[in-house]
Amino acid sequence: MSIITLSNLNKIYNEGTDIPVHAVNNVDLSFEAGEFSVIKGASGCGKTTLLNLLGGLDTPSSGNIIIDGVEIGKLSASNLTNFRMNNIGFVFQAYNLIPVLTARENVEFIMHLQHKSKKERKERALALLESVGLRDRADVRPGKLSGGQQQRVAVARALASKPKFILADEPTANLDTKATENLLDIMENLNKVEGITFIFASHDDRVIKKAHRLIELEDGKVIG
């Protein structure tokens, strides 16, 4: 059964002008629970826009996005924020860790917003850092971690809220080959062992080779 369904989805920038940009063009897609999917395509093809629409970080010009039976385009801003916090995990190209917080505190942050107890936050954060091989770096701030380690903290943080799926936008763009392989192995293991759904946007061949399903975009359209 699909957990995400996109119907006639469009995102047009500069709408109503002489040079409208169809970043996402009449896309119909669905995703099943437990997928390990990669949206691929050249830079500017609409990958990031599509991922941002999926995550409720951007609003469509037209069309519908239904996640676990909820049409997110009909949610108020506050309800969308809560829905996103409780259902969607994000891993960004730039890590987006809070520099003044330790690795553990970064992972705990979203659980604090969910009003989890201090004990539960700490236990889950440490368990997640263990799962990405960074339990021994729990009390270290991002500035003292390598790029690969920071991205693994970002994966642990994305998992902290127990989301239905994780969106990863070019997560390997700033990583060397070894760090990329390590990160992808961790994500693939989380997918296989825990059934966590991953949806990537990437033009990195190293990511594409790991995909269980490939979705190709060109000029905002699904072509494969």
Side-chain angles (χ1 to χ4, degrees):
M1 183 177 179
S2 299
I3 59 167
I4 304 169
T5 302
L6 312 179
S7 303
N8 302 316
L9 192 66
N10 290 277
K11 180 62 180 182
I12 305 171
Y13 295 105
N14 302 327
E15 197 168 4
T17 72
D18 292 335
I19 47 170
V21 177
H22 293 261
V24 171
N25 195 341
N26 201 35
V27 167
D28 293 301
L29 274 177
S30 62
F31 296 89
E32 307 291 326
E35 284 199 20
F36 197 80
S37 300
V38 176
I39 301 166
K40 73 170 188 172
S43 295
C45 72
K47 300 187 302 295
T48 293
T49 300
L50 181 55
L51 220 65
N52 287 343
L53 292 170
L54 271 171
L57 298 175
D58 203 350
T59 55
S61 301
S62 61
N64 300 312
I65 303 169
I66 298 174
I67 299 175
D68 205 26
V70 176
E71 188 173 340
I72 65 172
K74 292 185 176 180
L75 297 175
S76 66
S78 60
N79 285 340
L80 178 59
T81 297
N82 287 331
F83 182 86
R84 195 164 51 226
M85 179 173 64
N86 291 304
N87 292 278
I88 307 169
F90 297 92
V91 180
F92 299 100
Q93 176 178 336
Y95 319 140
N96 289 358
L97 300 178
I98 301 170
V100 297
L101 301 182
T102 65
R104 176 175 62 80
E105 290 166 341
N106 267 281
V107 177
E108 284 187 23
F109 186 74
I110 193 167
M111 292 184 282
H112 179 74
L113 298 178
Q114 292 177 313
H115 307 294
K116 303 296 184 184
S117 70
K118 184 176 180 180
K119 181 175 182 290
E120 182 178 355
R121 293 198 308 264
K122 182 176 181 180
E123 288 178 353
R124 179 156 176 77
L126 291 175
L128 287 169
L129 288 170
E130 177 77 30
S131 74
V132 297
L134 289 174
R135 173 64 179 82
D136 62 336
R137 308 292 279 169
D139 297 321
V140 178
R141 291 181 180 177
K144 299 290 186 181
L145 298 173
S146 69
Q149 289 172 331
Q150 289 185 62
Q151 196 62 296
R152 282 188 276 156
V153 173
V155 171
R157 179 186 59 187
L159 293 165
S161 63
K162 299 181 179 179
K164 290 186 171 66
F165 60 94
I166 288 178
L167 301 175
D169 187 13
E170 299 285 6
T172 61
N174 297 320
L175 305 182
D176 61 25
T177 298
K178 184 176 180 181
T180 293
E181 289 175 353
N182 193 357
L183 180 70
L184 291 174
D185 285 345
I186 287 168
M187 289 173 150
E188 190 172 37
N189 186 62
L190 289 165
N191 171 258
K192 287 179 178 177
V193 175
E194 299 189 28
I196 296 166
T197 303
F198 283 89
I199 303 172
F200 296 80
S202 182
H203 61 265
D204 186 337
D205 286 338
R206 299 169 298 183
V207 178
I208 291 167
K209 287 176 183 176
K210 287 280 189 179
H212 302 171
R213 177 189 179 193
L214 278 176
I215 298 158
E216 187 170 4
L217 283 189
E218 184 177 285
D219 298 329
K221 296 180 179 181
V222 176
I223 62 169

